[in-house]
Amino acid sequence: GGDLYDVIPLADDSLLVYVADVSDKGVPAALIMAALSTKIRSEAQVQSEVGKLLESVNKSMYSLTSEEGFFATIALARYWPANGKMQLALGGHLPPLLIVDGDIGTLPQLQGMSLGITPDVHYETKEISLSSGESILFFTDGVVEAENENKDLFGNERLAAYISSAKGPPWGKGLLDSVSKWRGDLSPNDDLTILEIWRD
């Protein structure tokens, strides 16, 4: 498939985490994802800021895929579990959800182009802090674009309604169950990936 996620422990006890989605399926998407994963892991050892990391990864992605027209979206974070600090950067991807007291909180505005479209792109780095009981949920569009037998989408409103009615953290497992129930007996119409970080 075209989805990818990873959790990479770093030397300062932080974690680099991301969810990404390549604009294709099958073997070509899998090969691009393998190259993207390798590049992110290598850059994680030398780039301390997530925005700079994405700039470097984007240049490599462009060199690799521009002639074929592939691109990838990504939501990436660096998280320090000891104090809850988190750096965030976005490359054309759905923004993650900050969940505070069972409600969707407000994240700083994140901007950034999908990876592989053009070589020189600036990616903003924004910083937040997770407090005890708070969660941040990364996901691919397979969540909101999941279809039921009537071709209706799960959508953002159902996602928000699930968060407000469920108990957590964590929320990710219950969200996956809710999407599966919505889909019923239909086969998935897209890859679906959820990655969640929460503080106890």
Side-chain angles (χ1 to χ4, degrees):
D3 282 8
L4 178 68
Y5 72 95
D6 206 351
V7 178
I8 305 167
L10 299 177
D12 66 347
D13 295 325
S14 66
L15 299 168
L16 189 75
V17 302
Y18 66 89
V19 167
D21 187 0
V22 165
S23 61
D24 200 2
K25 301 289 184 288
V27 174
L31 292 173
I32 291 167
M33 274 302 182
L36 181 60
S37 172
T38 300
K39 182 62 177 176
I40 291 172
R41 280 188 165 264
S42 66
E43 287 298 319
Q45 307 307 316
V46 296
Q47 297 287 354
S48 60
E49 185 181 294
V50 291
K52 297 294 184 186
L53 188 153
L54 280 189
E55 289 174 15
S56 180
V57 169
N58 175 66
K59 287 182 181 179
S60 294
M61 180 87 179
Y62 179 79
S63 298
L64 179 68
T65 66
S66 59
E67 291 185 5
E68 290 80 14
F70 293 113
F71 65 91
T73 67
I74 188 169
L76 180 138
R78 188 173 182 184
Y79 176 59
W80 287 261
N83 59 15
K85 174 183 166 184
M86 180 180 286
Q87 291 180 353
L88 291 165
L90 205 64
H93 199 83
L94 295 169
L97 296 180
L98 175 64
I99 306 173
V100 180
D101 297 327
D103 292 318
I104 297 176
T106 303
L107 285 174
Q109 183 98 20
L110 290 166
Q111 296 180 346
M113 189 178 294
S114 299
L115 303 175
I117 293 178
T118 187
D120 298 312
V121 180
H122 172 69
Y123 292 92
E124 295 179 297
T125 297
K126 297 293 177 72
E127 192 170 299
I128 66 168
S129 182
L130 286 184
S131 299
S132 179
E134 294 181 349
S135 174
I136 189 158
L137 195 71
F138 300 84
F139 57 99
T140 56
D141 57 8
V143 172
V144 293
E145 294 179 2
E147 294 180 349
N148 67 5
E149 58 186 10
N150 298 319
K151 299 293 186 182
D152 296 324
L153 301 181
F154 187 77
N156 291 313
E157 289 186 7
R158 287 183 185 85
L159 174 57
Y162 163 76
I163 297 297
S164 65
S165 64
K167 292 184 178 179
W171 277 270
K173 177 62 168 66
L175 175 59
L176 183 60
D177 293 342
S178 183
V179 171
S180 296
K181 185 176 179 181
W182 168 257
R183 197 165 46 221
D185 294 331
L186 291 183
S187 297
N189 57 300
D190 195 6
D191 302 323
L192 187 158
T193 302
I194 297 170
L195 188 154
E196 182 176 10
I197 295 174
W198 71 90
R199 288 196 81 190
D200 288 333

